[in-house]
Amino acid sequence: FTFENEPKIVCYYLPDFEIINNDNSVEYHEVKGWMCNRSILKLSLMAKWFPEVKLILIRAKWFKDNKYN
């Protein structure tokens, strides 16, 4: 995903995984153990420029809740 009209500090975003569901819908998964300012900016730009894209954020809490260490 490219953010052409944004400052050059962040000009693109590449999610960790692209998932194609059985109904051919597409969603993207992003795995984050912690969030830095750059990651927060990229995710906010995704919401701004690509609101139709389903992006699922998997954070450290998910791993703890599901007993992954």
Side-chain angles (χ1 to χ4, degrees):
F1 295 95
T2 303
F3 310 121
E4 293 184 18
N5 296 324
E6 294 294 332
K8 293 300 177 189
I9 189 167
V10 175
C11 54
Y12 69 92
Y13 170 66
L14 181 64
D16 291 325
F17 300 98
E18 177 184 61
I19 307 296
I20 301 173
N21 297 306
N22 290 336
D23 64 358
N24 288 325
S25 62
V26 177
E27 59 189 49
Y28 297 90
H29 292 203
E30 180 69 28
V31 180
K32 288 287 181 199
W34 60 280
M35 296 287 285
C36 65
N37 289 338
R38 188 175 177 89
S39 296
I40 293 168
L41 178 58
K42 285 184 178 188
L43 293 175
S44 67
L45 289 173
M46 277 297 294
K48 176 182 175 181
W49 293 106
F50 301 97
E52 73 283 358
V53 172
K54 184 172 183 178
L55 179 62
I56 298 172
L57 180 60
I58 302 167
R59 304 215 39 195
K61 183 180 181 321
W62 183 92
F63 291 95
K64 290 177 188 174
D65 291 348
N66 290 283
K67 298 183 177 34
Y68 286 91
N69 296 335

